[in-house]
Amino acid sequence: MDRTFWEQRWAAGRTAFHRPDPHPLLRRHLDRLGPPGRVYVPLCGKSVDMLLLRQHGHEVVGTEFVVEAVHQFFRELGAEPERREAPPFESFAAPGITILRGDAMAITRDHLGGAIDAVYDRGSLVAVDPARRTELADSLRRVSRRQGRILLVTLSYDQSKADGPPWSVDEATVRRLFARHASIEILDEQPDPGSPSLRDAGVSEFLERAYLIELT
């Protein structure tokens, strides 16, 4: 994960990956996260998916290392967050939603106030350098309770034509990362317009896929 790259993207307003509305795959499959509980959203940016999760009764905790993304989230929410130091993180909290600013790879249950019931990931696995995918997957299992659930949304495309981010994540990659410790179900898939930079590089087909990963 190149911190400078993402900080520059946010500073320049180059955030085409941000959706102004909740993700349709989350809308369709939110119930698969289980009853209202504590949901972790890694590399959350200013995702309005967190608002949908809160609306359905979940307590949301996100991680994000770009402080501008955190500021924009709460500013657009119209809330003044309570700020406090929570080393190695800085905590920004409003009713039902807390964002920990810092390195998601360093997260532990203690930082999150205990084990998490479920994880929702649309933004992290496709964003991190492929060399760190195993580290990220380990972090999601580390903070989850036994038999916790992960609702994972991935993007796949012809990686030979262009490099990410967002990086292509296919089914084989998801199974390599999680199958030893979980059951994996493909819930849904849909075409995606893809990022402008990838389209400019000659990539014409993009597929989003939603997985339910149930940890053992």
Side-chain angles (χ1 to χ4, degrees):
M1 211 183 322
D2 185 338
R3 174 171 292 196
T4 301
F5 170 85
W6 290 108
E7 288 174 340
Q8 290 174 345
R9 289 283 295 265
W10 279 97
R14 296 174 56 218
T15 55
F17 49 83
H18 173 72
R19 301 178 63 104
D21 302 304
H23 198 287
L25 291 174
L26 174 61
R27 285 188 179 277
R28 293 203 289 269
H29 302 288
L30 188 150
D31 64 309
R32 301 301 299 273
L33 288 173
R38 302 181 67 241
V39 177
Y40 173 47
V41 184
L43 275 65
C44 61
K46 61 173 185 178
S47 174
V48 297
D49 291 346
M50 294 188 286
L51 302 181
L52 181 65
L53 290 165
R54 184 179 70 169
Q55 178 184 333
H56 283 260
H58 296 288
E59 179 186 346
V60 182
V61 184
T63 46
E64 174 57 53
F65 61 78
V66 180
V67 71
E68 177 60 23
V70 179
H71 289 328
Q72 287 187 28
F73 175 80
F74 287 104
R75 186 162 59 244
E76 294 171 14
L77 180 60
E80 182 64 34
E82 178 184 348
R83 297 176 60 175
R84 65 179 180 85
E85 293 298 319
F89 296 92
E90 181 181 14
S91 173
F92 295 76
I97 299 178
T98 298
I99 298 179
L100 300 177
R101 188 181 75 85
D103 182 2
M105 302 297 189
I107 199 75
T108 68
R109 292 184 178 186
D110 287 343
H111 300 133
L112 295 169
I116 289 294
D117 297 305
V119 175
Y120 169 64
D121 176 20
R122 173 199 167 240
S124 70
L125 191 58
V126 299
V128 299
D129 187 294
R132 301 194 73 186
R133 285 173 176 167
T134 298
E135 187 180 359
L136 175 64
D138 288 346
S139 76
L140 302 185
R141 291 195 299 270
R142 182 170 65 237
V143 301
S144 297
R145 66 170 174 81
R146 188 175 181 183
Q147 298 181 326
R149 298 180 175 190
I150 301 172
L151 179 58
L152 172 67
V153 177
T154 63
L155 180 70
S156 59
Y157 61 90
D158 185 352
Q159 190 81 84
S160 70
K161 292 184 177 180
D163 283 336
W167 300 94
S168 179
V169 178
D170 60 15
E171 180 183 352
T173 298
V174 173
R175 294 192 179 280
R176 177 179 61 80
L177 291 171
F178 294 103
R180 283 187 59 198
H181 306 279
S183 64
I184 300 172
E185 177 185 357
I186 298 175
L187 298 177
D188 205 344
E189 60 184 37
Q190 64 181 27
D192 183 82
S195 73
S197 61
L198 292 176
R199 290 198 304 271
D200 290 345
V203 182
S204 59
E205 295 184 358
F206 301 85
L207 182 69
E208 282 189 306
R209 182 174 283 143
Y211 298 86
L212 180 67
I213 301 169
E214 297 187 84
L215 301 171
T216 56

